[in-house]
Amino acid sequence: MEKPFAITLDPGSSLANHTGSWRTSRPVYIDRLPPCNKQCPAGEDIQGWLFHAESGDYESAWRHLTRDNPFPAIMGRVCYHSCEGVCNRGQIDAPVGINSVERFLGDEALKLGWKLTPPSSESGKNVLVVGAGPSGMSAAYHLRRLGHSVTVFEAGPMLGGMMRFGIPKYRLPRDVLEAEMQRVVDLGVKVNLNTKVDNILNTMQDGKFDAAFLAVGAHIGKRARIPAGDAAKIVDAISLLRSMEGEEKPMLGRRVVVYGGGNTAIDVARTAKRMGAEPLIVYRRTRDKMPAHDFEMEEAIQEGIMVKWLSTITQAEESSLTIEKMALDDKGFPQPTGEFETIEADSLVLALGQDVDLGLLDGVPGLEVTDGVVKVAPNMMTGHPGIFAGGDMVPAERNVTVGIGHGKQAARHIDAWLRGEEHVPAPQHEVANFEKLNPWYYADAPKTVRPMLDIIRRQSTFDEVQGGLDESTALFEARRCLSCGNCFECDNCYGVCPDNAVIKLGPGKRFEFNYDYCKGCGMCVAECPCGAIKMEAEEI
Amino acid sequence: MSFQPVHFYQTGTFTVGNRLLEPSERSVQANIQRTNSLNSGHRACQGCGEALGARYAIDAAMNAARGRLIAANATGCLEVFSTPYPETSWQIPWIHSLFGNTAAVATGIAAAIKVKKHKGEMGDVRVVAQGGDGGTTDIGFGCLSGMFERNDDVLYICYDNGGYMNTGVQRSSATPPAARTATTMPVGPEPGNQFGQGKFVPAIAMAHEIPYVATATVADLRDLEYKVTKAMGIRGARYIHILVPCPLGWGAASEDTILLARLAKETGIFPVFEAENGEVTGTLKIRRKQPVEAYLQRQKRYAHLFGKKPAVETIARLQAAADKNIRKYGLLDQEAN
Ligand SMILES: Cc1cc2nc3c(=O)[nH]c(=O)nc-3n(C[C@H](O)[C@H](O)[C@H](O)COP(=O)(O)OP(=O)(O)OC[C@H]3O[C@@H](n4cnc5c(N)ncnc54)[C@H](O)[C@@H]3O)c2cc1C
Ligand SMILES: Cc1ncc(C[n+]2csc(CCOP(=O)(O)OP(=O)(O)O)c2C)c(N)n1
Ligand code: SF4
Ligand code: SF4
Ligand code: SF4
Ligand SMILES: [Mg+2]
């Protein structure tokens, strides 16, 4: 071979040597399931929408989020964000403030008037949704996006279900609720308010509905058998909260005793406080045994709400209550002690849980009702073909997010069922737990704390207690995400390969391995911060 | 001051790239059009730190010299695995010197360029010399010291893997104490390399008061690129000493190469700093301090320290040496610790 002076070898001629043949195992790019996504009851792709938010593209983030959940501004206020409890960043410093970024996106959408994507075609199918709570409205949204004609029958005068008639304003301002509900209606969902369904089969037949999704919630306050004098004022928590939405505010007197230890009890006490009363919560067990979330109890205590632990109410009179002290036995159950005490009380509010009104299902064949809730199959269908159900009326945890998740799942199954098919959810990827990450690469960044309303205004007004993040803090918070299990294009694999065997495809296109030269050292796998590469044995 | 990392953009400047940074702020290695000076198809072991360090360093030098660069290369792994006749992995003008004279060869090239430039026969071309620790701290040391004291316009890069790896892991004057090689005490009360021998060439280079001396590792790419770029902006003799783990010679897993370089720095065993005209001007701080065991235990060359009866005293001596580095070079941030 003729070469110029002093040149003996052609540049880069080693490409002829395919060192990939040395390999006994090969790296492969994968997407692992981030723990937050796995946890989210509404099935949000949290890592996915944070990815857009990280670059400041909030609209794409919001669009990505609303593929699964149409109510981010509501979520950002009332969701119990169990996702944060499992967030991998919690093992570095503190979990990503997923919920606060979600709220920021939701508020940004309302501020800038972003609209949900309308369906691209009409299926010609007619679906009935009963109940305009979170579960029903989520189903309506997803069904509509799939092209079905959707009609919502709602017994009450407004949309929102327990989000309007239960959750107080200081946690969920009504303009936010209204706006996110309306946005779903704007997709062409028909709504019949003040229309209670008494017999589901008749309603379906009359309206020529092909399928129905029921989400009537649980609205009947549980009563306790408390001997009471004629003049004793006893109300149930749900009726009380509901009346807060009307013109006439309830009359409770000054000393209001709330009986129960759940979130509802706390909301009632905080509501009473804001109306000028002096609420006292009476609960039969201890704080750590309370079903209420600790942060809510904490906020209530900050607002000056008193609690009597280990106490049951045995007698109610016009202006007093008799209370028996309890003691926990070795199994942690409260047992009576025989010690009594009398406390002053102008009214007693019972917050002891709710039952479902299943009247509309009377006479429907095939249904299975256990413990007052309707059994559904994994596809959310009741025992009666074509009737699906979700939210508080089916056996599950009772909260807004679970209801929204049910609505979404049901919509997908109804869609398939209407076509005579079965919806098979895509198999879940393996979980990107903390051990799969290389946390070295993430810069230190402590969590951003949301502002709280000052305590005086929290005790006297119904102004929203928790504030939101602003643009810069939301961006900061989004960027704290580790992108668990999903490539975020940090270029580490492209950089660290000693054999230059990683091909960078360009922004948004990720990477490819060049197996002609990859020797299988595993460095790219070890140095990928987020666990998006895996080593697989080579078949030899 | 040393390299200033970006404070917080998800990964700051710890990762090779970062989609949230301006392209101009990203590393050379993140660039889709990097030179790949040392291309695929070379015959280095799986996970070779030297192959990686060489591409990192020479790509950065090529970037700084706008592609006008010549490299002289001492005998050693880097030369042997990159150029088995009739192939080469190099994509830059590159010449193989002898084992011990690469500094002198580079000096000659620099002199020739100077003359040609003077005659108007060519524009500016920069010169790099590179070699392993054996070729640098032992056999090539005379030529290197001469290059320093004459302040020849060459950037010399030493890839330190702590031994003569190409010929089967023999001891060099850069082999760390207690590390076992093929030519250190195999048995007895204190096997492995002796304490109190060897030398740290970056300090000797500083004693020559050349314009620029720096150390780096393959675990801190941004720092490494910053130093090569800075060195390329200076005329005269410059020296960069890069710690490059060797899976074969260290008895380590191939995927641990970067981890080991990181641990060498985080324990204080390998101080990462830069110096101008004989004075230390910047240090790369320890971020999450670790005991030396974290580094030692992952390498079979130190396995004899961790048998049934761990060599507590020897480990303590190694810890003391690391602590001394921490004090001497100020490797811990005072505020943070
Ligand atoms: C005080 C309180 C605070 C809460 N706070 C939170 C919180 O902070 N976060 C959280 O996640 N969850 C909270 N929850 C729980 C949450 O509100 C419920 O789990 C959720 O609203 C259930 O949604 P759903 O759609 O199943 O039913 P609902 O929200 O109860 O909606 C059911 C709807 O169906 C209508 N309906 C009923 N029967 C019929 C009929 N026969 N015909 C037509 N319409 C009918 C009702 O009028 C209602 O509008 C709280 C609950 C209460 C009571
Ligand atoms: C004068 C001379 N002596 C000995 C050798 C054999 N030899 C080739 S490479 C090498 C060791 C190189 O060690 P080092 O410089 O540390 O580089 P590494 O292989 O570790 O990267 C030796 C001893 C030689 N080529 N020339
Ligand atoms: S770091 Fe991001 S992807 Fe990982 S669990 Fe937390 S929010 Fe999800
Ligand atoms: S770093 Fe390179 S050679 Fe090693 S496994 Fe990854 S692609 Fe293959
Ligand atoms: S190392 Fe970075 S660029 Fe490579 S797969 Fe992992 S996240 Fe993506
Ligand atoms: Mg060597």
Side-chain angles (χ1 to χ4, degrees):
Chain A
M1 237 189 300
E2 279 297 309
K3 297 218 166 54
F5 172 71
I7 301 295
T8 50
L9 304 171
D10 286 321
S13 45
S14 63
L15 289 175
N17 185 27
H18 286 189
T19 51
S21 63
W22 303 11
R23 200 171 53 232
T24 54
S25 49
R26 64 164 58 197
V28 284
Y29 288 107
I30 50 167
D31 285 306
R32 287 193 169 105
L33 179 64
C36 54
N37 292 18
K38 182 168 195 263
Q39 178 64 32
C40 177
E44 286 183 23
D45 180 13
I46 297 168
Q47 177 277 327
W49 57 256
L50 281 172
F51 181 85
H52 294 295
E54 281 151 29
S55 62
D57 186 355
Y58 304 123
E59 182 163 353
S60 297
W62 181 81
R63 297 214 170 272
H64 195 97
L65 194 169
T66 53
R67 290 193 325 202
D68 296 300
N69 186 337
F71 310 127
I74 294 172
M75 285 292 97
R77 289 172 168 83
V78 305
C79 177
Y80 296 129
H81 48 77
S82 49
C83 54
E84 294 185 21
V86 298
C87 170
N88 277 333
R89 177 120 209 168
Q91 296 188 48
I92 296 183
D93 39 33
V96 174
I98 300 169
N99 188 249
S100 52
V101 181
E102 185 166 13
R103 168 165 165 180
F104 171 79
L105 295 174
D107 288 355
E108 201 72 357
L110 296 180
K111 194 170 83 190
L112 300 173
W114 297 335
K115 296 268 174 271
L116 297 166
T117 319
S120 45
S121 64
E122 298 291 333
S123 70
K125 298 283 183 189
N126 223 350
V127 185
L128 169 67
V129 171
V130 184
S135 198
M137 291 305 283
S138 161
Y141 163 70
H142 287 286
L143 285 163
R144 185 70 201 114
R145 279 189 78 167
L146 290 163
H148 305 300
S149 159
V150 183
T151 309
V152 180
F153 279 28
E154 164 56 47
M158 280 177 279
L159 299 173
M162 206 55 107
M163 298 188 295
R164 182 182 297 274
F165 295 110
I167 302 178
K169 285 191 185 88
Y170 59 83
R171 293 204 288 120
L172 179 57
R174 296 307 186 241
D175 53 339
V176 172
L177 173 63
E178 194 57 51
E180 289 208 323
M181 292 291 126
Q182 187 57 42
R183 215 167 43 202
V184 171
V185 175
D186 290 345
L187 287 180
V189 170
K190 290 176 274 267
V191 180
N192 296 354
L193 295 174
N194 300 310
T195 313
K196 182 165 182 191
V197 175
D198 295 314
N199 181 315
I200 182 65
L201 294 179
N202 287 350
T203 306
M204 283 179 75
Q205 202 175 24
D206 295 347
K208 297 194 172 58
F209 291 107
D210 301 298
F213 177 69
L214 312 185
V216 296
H219 289 224
I220 309 174
K222 281 198 170 80
R223 309 289 297 198
R225 267 187 292 276
I226 299 173
D230 294 340
K233 185 167 170 55
I234 304 181
V235 289
D236 84 271
I238 298 305
S239 321
L240 173 79
L241 289 170
R242 172 179 292 265
S243 62
M244 291 298 296
E245 284 299 302
E247 286 299 306
E248 261 175 63
K249 299 291 178 253
M251 302 290 290
L252 293 171
R254 187 168 60 83
R255 289 154 310 180
V256 178
V257 170
V258 183
Y259 196 22
N263 292 324
T264 307
I266 292 178
D267 274 338
V268 169
R270 294 175 75 183
T271 297
K273 179 89 193 175
R274 283 163 172 78
M275 290 165 71
E278 285 167 21
L280 171 73
I281 294 176
V282 173
Y283 179 53
R284 64 198 170 94
R285 300 198 289 178
T286 47
R287 179 162 176 186
D288 53 315
K289 296 266 172 8
M290 243 186 157
H293 290 88
D294 202 55
F295 73 91
E296 287 193 272
M297 190 62 237
E298 194 54 47
E299 288 181 14
I301 289 172
Q302 286 165 11
E303 289 168 13
I305 285 158
M306 313 291 279
V307 189
K308 239 183 173 12
W309 307 106
L310 287 169
S311 307
T312 51
I313 297 172
T314 54
Q315 174 82 33
E317 294 301 338
E318 184 176 358
S319 60
S320 70
L321 295 171
T322 309
I323 282 177
E324 179 172 11
K325 282 214 156 43
M326 307 297 274
L328 293 186
D329 63 16
D330 13 319
K331 291 197 188 86
F333 289 109
Q335 300 297 346
T337 60
E339 254 180 76
F340 294 90
E341 153 185 25
T342 306
I343 57 170
E344 289 181 23
D346 296 318
S347 57
L348 170 62
V349 186
L350 302 178
L352 303 167
Q354 291 97 249
D355 290 323
V356 184
D357 178 357
L358 294 173
L360 79 167
L361 289 169
D362 281 348
V364 177
L367 291 185
E368 207 182 312
V369 177
T370 347
D371 297 330
V373 285
V374 180
K375 233 175 136 188
V376 285
N379 68 352
M380 307 307 293
M381 190 156 81
T382 66
H384 189 93
I387 299 184
F388 296 72
D392 281 3
M393 68 177 290
V394 305
E397 231 183 294
R398 286 182 176 175
N399 62 54
V400 172
T401 323
V402 166
I404 290 171
H406 286 171
K408 172 176 111 177
Q409 283 168 37
R412 293 183 181 170
H413 288 292
I414 290 170
D415 176 63
W417 186 83
L418 287 172
R419 279 182 278 111
E421 291 167 11
E422 205 178 317
H423 168 68
V424 187
Q428 283 200 343
H429 293 135
E430 65 171 292
V431 179
N433 50 28
F434 193 71
E435 291 62 46
K436 302 274 191 311
L437 312 181
N438 187 337
W440 166 263
Y441 289 103
Y442 299 103
D444 310 302
K447 182 171 177 161
T448 323
V449 178
R450 282 188 262 194
M452 295 287 268
L453 191 67
D454 73 69
I455 197 76
I456 300 299
R457 281 167 65 210
R458 274 166 63 182
Q459 289 171 332
S460 54
T461 71
F462 283 84
D463 291 351
E464 189 169 17
V465 171
Q466 193 166 47
L469 302 179
D470 61 24
E471 212 269 354
S472 73
T473 47
L475 188 66
F476 179 89
E477 203 49 39
R479 287 175 173 183
R480 292 183 64 245
C481 173
L482 311 175
S483 192
C484 305
N486 290 267
C487 174
F488 61 126
E489 301 192 8
C490 72
D491 293 330
N492 259 14
C493 50
Y494 178 60
V496 303
C497 176
D499 289 278
N500 189 27
V502 175
I503 303 164
K504 177 167 169 165
L505 300 172
K509 302 198 194 110
R510 297 189 176 184
F511 305 82
E512 250 172 31
F513 288 109
N514 186 343
Y515 293 113
D516 283 349
Y517 302 106
C518 163
K519 292 172 185 159
C521 68
M523 267 164 66
C524 52
V525 178
E527 302 307 323
C528 172
C530 68
I533 316 175
K534 178 181 179 172
M535 225 49 195
E536 274 179 2
E538 202 69 71
E539 278 172 42
I540 2 175
Chain B
M1 253 331 273
S2 204
F3 167 67
Q4 283 295 300
V6 167
H7 179 54
F8 176 66
Y9 275 176
Q10 194 162 30
T11 56
T13 33
F14 292 115
T15 45
V16 169
N18 182 335
R19 70 184 179 102
L20 303 173
L21 287 181
E22 288 297 313
S24 62
E25 287 185 310
R26 299 182 199 175
S27 69
V28 174
Q29 283 304 309
N31 194 331
I32 219 161
Q33 273 145 3
R34 69 186 186 204
T35 313
N36 280 320
S37 314
L38 182 68
N39 205 0
S40 314
H42 62 69
R43 292 159 198 234
C45 299
Q46 293 158 316
C48 173
E50 190 164 76
L52 180 63
R55 196 190 72 226
Y56 279 0
I58 303 301
D59 277 4
M62 279 291 281
N63 185 62
R66 291 195 199 80
R68 297 177 68 79
L69 188 79
I70 297 177
N73 205 138
T75 310
C77 273
L78 181 61
E79 166 266 321
V80 171
F81 72 58
S82 65
T83 52
Y85 190 82
E87 291 162 9
T88 177
S89 308
W90 293 101
Q91 312 213 84
I92 58 164
W94 179 94
I95 184 172
H96 173 204
S97 68
L98 294 178
F99 187 21
N101 69 349
T102 203
V105 168
T107 292
I109 296 170
I113 291 169
K114 196 172 167 189
V115 172
K116 284 194 160 257
K117 255 169 71 179
H118 189 70
K119 288 187 183 163
E121 289 173 14
M122 69 188 285
D124 201 16
V125 175
R126 309 299 302 276
V127 184
V128 167
Q130 50 182 355
D133 51 295
T136 305
T137 74
D138 292 339
I139 189 170
F141 190 64
C143 294
L144 181 68
S145 181
M147 182 202 112
F148 286 165
E149 67 92 10
R150 292 186 304 270
N151 199 22
D152 294 328
D153 189 15
V154 174
L155 167 61
Y156 191 104
I157 302 173
C158 169
Y159 302 104
D160 176 7
N161 53 18
Y164 291 79
M165 299 316 187
N166 188 60
T167 41
V169 197
Q170 292 85 16
R171 176 197 176 275
S172 81
S173 59
T175 301
R180 175 173 275 162
T181 67
T183 51
T184 45
M185 196 65 75
V187 287
E190 284 195 357
N193 193 29
Q194 302 218 359
F195 280 83
Q197 297 187 355
K199 53 181 141 166
F200 188 51
V201 168
I204 304 175
M206 278 169 66
H208 289 76
E209 303 214 344
I210 55 174
Y212 191 68
V213 173
T215 63
T217 81
V218 286
D220 284 288
L221 170 69
R222 304 302 298 265
D223 175 71
L224 188 157
E225 287 190 350
Y226 154 82
K227 285 168 177 169
V228 171
T229 308
K230 179 158 176 179
M232 292 300 291
I234 298 171
R235 294 285 172 168
R238 292 141 287 147
Y239 180 73
I240 298 183
H241 188 105
I242 305 176
L243 184 73
V244 291
C246 168
L248 177 89
W250 296 15
S254 58
E255 72 264 28
D256 276 356
T257 294
I258 289 182
L259 173 66
L260 286 173
R262 181 180 304 135
L263 286 170
K265 178 223 153 200
E266 293 292 290
T267 52
I269 282 181
F270 186 80
V272 182
F273 64 93
E274 60 179 339
E276 288 170 56
N277 305 311
E279 259 181 283
V280 174
T281 50
T283 50
L284 191 63
K285 302 288 181 193
I286 290 174
R287 192 166 160 232
R288 310 211 197 290
K289 190 174 181 300
Q290 306 241 21
V292 291
E293 284 95 328
Y295 172 71
L296 305 172
Q297 266 174 329
R298 305 188 84 95
Q299 305 173 49
K300 289 208 189 73
R301 62 176 173 160
Y302 296 113
H304 58 93
L305 302 180
F306 298 98
K308 278 208 193 84
K309 266 177 65 196
V312 195
E313 267 178 45
T314 311
I315 297 169
R317 283 181 86 176
L318 292 167
Q319 183 64 57
D323 293 343
K324 185 176 161 191
N325 278 338
I326 292 174
R327 282 195 309 278
K328 188 169 169 186
Y329 294 98
L331 300 178
L332 275 177
D333 220 325
Q334 288 312 312
E335 295 153 57
N337 290 276

